[in-house]
Amino acid sequence: MKRKSFVLAALAAATLSLFSVPVLAEPIVIKFSHVVAAETPKGKAAEFFKKRADELTKGKVKVEVYPNSQLYKDKEEMEALQLGAVQMLAPSLAKFGPLGVKEFELFDLPFIFDDSNDLHKVTQGTVGQSLLKKLEPKGITGLAFWDNGFKSFSANTPIKTPDDLKGKKMRIQSSKVLEEQMRSVGSIPQVMAFSEVYQALQTGVVDGTENPISNLYTQKMHEVQKHLSLTDHGYLGYAVIVNKKFWDGLPADVKGQLETAMKDATVFANKIAQEENNAALEGVKKSGKTTVYAPTKEERLAFKRAMVPVHQKMEGRIGKETIQQVYKETGFDPSKL
Ligand code: LMR
């Protein structure tokens, strides 16, 4: 290079470095809304995901977690996700019916899973994966299943037999299977958003409810329910979902890092769920506000006999083949009750 052009080039470079301010890219924001307390299995897993996403993307993604229906209640959060007002949710599997994906209600079938091993065979098997695929036409991508746990009944009178629920108004999530489950024992189902349950129990709008103990305890429902029965009659867990357009539009490297963060958060969620429910049960017992009852084997069998016919009744909604596939994966045989 001639000396003159060299000087010119050097000058140009110096000028550029003097005046070019490094462009700081704005972080990609993921608003993650949910309806339970931060100290629940879902609340803690959401925080874990936030932290892991920050680490893996080196701050390129900022996850904002909004617990306790701060932003939206059950029904509204689904609409908000589809509209893109939030990017991520983890609704319970009982809340996908209103979206038009009623097959998710298979998880609500009473006594269909003996334990979380049975459940994982389904969530990690073909049924679980094909359920997540059904969300795509709704503009939603399903990322993972997160555990909570098995449900207990609560009310202001003891619950030892199915007859003890007769005539009681019981709050349920928006699931036709849960409606039928409550009818199978003669109670009156009342669909209600999670954020309204405490007050409804306190004022007597409903007589009782069902939930894993972590949800009951963190909402202080045990303070307004005199009896809790450890029936473990059904499962409550979550599907983590994102707005499809948002997800598909992410840069490939960021998406890969978020997928890893979600994998790690799922392992974490499923590891702590049982521990959190055990700790919540201890908390309920310690509070002395609720009498905790563990049904005998025979009493539990009576609930099972009353409720399992719901499976057949709901074949039209969930699909006979899907139910049979779950039986095959878990080894459940309704004729052996
Ligand atoms: C409920 O509404 O009872 C639960 O779905 C709340 C939750 O998200 O765990």
Side-chain angles (χ1 to χ4, degrees):
M1 202 187 290
K2 281 192 190 146
R3 185 166 163 76
K4 195 174 162 199
S5 45
F6 173 78
V7 171
L8 277 177
L11 258 178
T15 316
L16 261 181
S17 71
L18 256 180
F19 294 104
S20 68
V21 181
V23 183
L24 291 176
E26 289 284 315
I28 298 167
V29 174
I30 296 183
K31 287 193 170 139
F32 187 157
S33 170
H34 69 82
V35 299
V36 293
E39 313 77 46
T40 53
K42 176 163 65 179
K44 289 189 175 178
E47 286 298 332
F48 183 99
F49 173 70
K50 169 192 166 105
K51 196 166 153 273
R52 213 49 204 120
D54 184 55
E55 280 164 13
L56 290 172
T57 66
K58 300 198 168 41
K60 267 191 236 155
V61 173
K62 191 165 163 270
V63 180
E64 295 173 356
V65 183
Y66 298 93
N68 256 327
S69 310
Q70 241 172 55
L71 283 188
Y72 300 103
K73 295 196 223 172
D74 297 324
K75 197 167 158 287
E76 291 87 349
E77 69 172 16
M78 285 288 198
E79 288 158 7
L81 183 80
Q82 284 181 297
L83 291 170
V86 292
Q87 288 69 39
M88 192 172 279
L89 306 174
S92 102
L93 302 165
K95 290 177 184 167
F96 286 77
L99 198 69
V101 206
K102 49 196 192 307
E103 296 87 344
F104 273 79
E105 291 178 11
L106 86 84
F107 292 99
D108 302 332
L109 289 169
F111 293 101
I112 196 161
F113 309 111
D114 266 346
D115 50 34
S116 44
N117 284 340
D118 272 0
L119 167 86
H120 292 155
K121 283 180 197 155
V122 177
T123 49
Q124 288 158 19
T126 49
V127 174
Q129 296 318 304
S130 76
L131 281 176
L132 294 182
K133 281 265 164 316
K134 283 185 198 290
L135 297 170
E136 305 264 320
K138 311 283 173 194
I140 291 172
T141 302
L143 296 180
F145 289 101
W146 283 358
D147 283 353
N148 188 336
F150 288 83
K151 294 176 286 185
S152 297
F153 283 122
S154 67
N156 280 324
T157 48
I159 308 156
K160 297 186 176 178
T161 70
D163 267 0
D164 294 332
L165 291 173
K166 216 176 223 162
K168 291 212 181 307
K169 277 181 279 165
M170 299 293 285
R171 179 270 169 174
I172 56 162
Q173 307 171 78
S174 59
S175 155
K176 296 286 176 215
V177 169
L178 295 179
E179 247 178 76
E180 205 52 46
Q181 171 203 272
M182 290 307 189
R183 290 212 176 90
S184 73
V185 289
S187 54
I188 306 143
Q190 307 261 307
V191 175
M192 189 179 288
F194 186 67
S195 55
E196 287 158 17
V197 184
Y198 176 87
Q199 208 183 357
L201 291 169
Q202 189 184 37
T203 55
V205 168
V206 289
D207 301 310
T209 189
E210 57 165 16
N211 237 305
I213 299 163
S214 54
N215 276 350
L216 173 112
Y217 182 62
T218 51
Q219 296 296 324
K220 301 194 189 327
M221 291 181 203
H222 61 291
E223 294 184 0
V224 289
Q225 293 276 267
K226 292 199 174 74
H227 294 270
L228 178 70
S229 187
L230 309 177
T231 42
D232 284 347
H233 58 278
Y235 173 75
L236 190 152
Y238 310 104
V240 187
I241 56 178
V242 274
N243 178 291
K244 185 173 178 327
K245 209 166 146 201
F246 166 79
W247 193 248
D248 291 346
L250 287 173
D253 58 336
V254 170
K255 198 173 171 184
Q257 288 151 354
L258 289 178
E259 278 165 354
T260 306
M262 185 51 66
K263 248 188 219 147
D264 295 350
T266 302
V267 170
F268 174 80
N270 296 353
K271 185 181 154 291
I272 64 161
Q274 189 57 50
E275 297 161 15
E276 292 294 322
N277 278 300
N278 292 346
L281 178 58
E282 285 315 305
V284 170
K285 284 181 179 166
K286 238 187 237 158
S287 77
K289 307 228 163 170
T290 306
T291 307
V292 178
Y293 181 71
T296 63
K297 223 171 140 197
E298 290 70 33
E299 286 166 344
R300 201 161 171 270
L301 187 61
F303 277 106
K304 212 169 184 175
R305 289 200 170 125
M307 290 178 164
V308 166
V310 171
H311 296 199
Q312 206 178 357
K313 276 207 180 128
M314 290 286 107
E315 278 175 355
R317 184 162 177 85
I318 292 161
K320 193 173 174 173
E321 270 178 31
T322 307
I323 297 178
Q324 293 300 328
Q325 176 78 25
V326 174
Y327 288 172
K328 220 166 99 192
E329 284 177 358
T330 63
F332 182 80
D333 183 351
S335 68
K336 283 204 181 131
L337 289 181

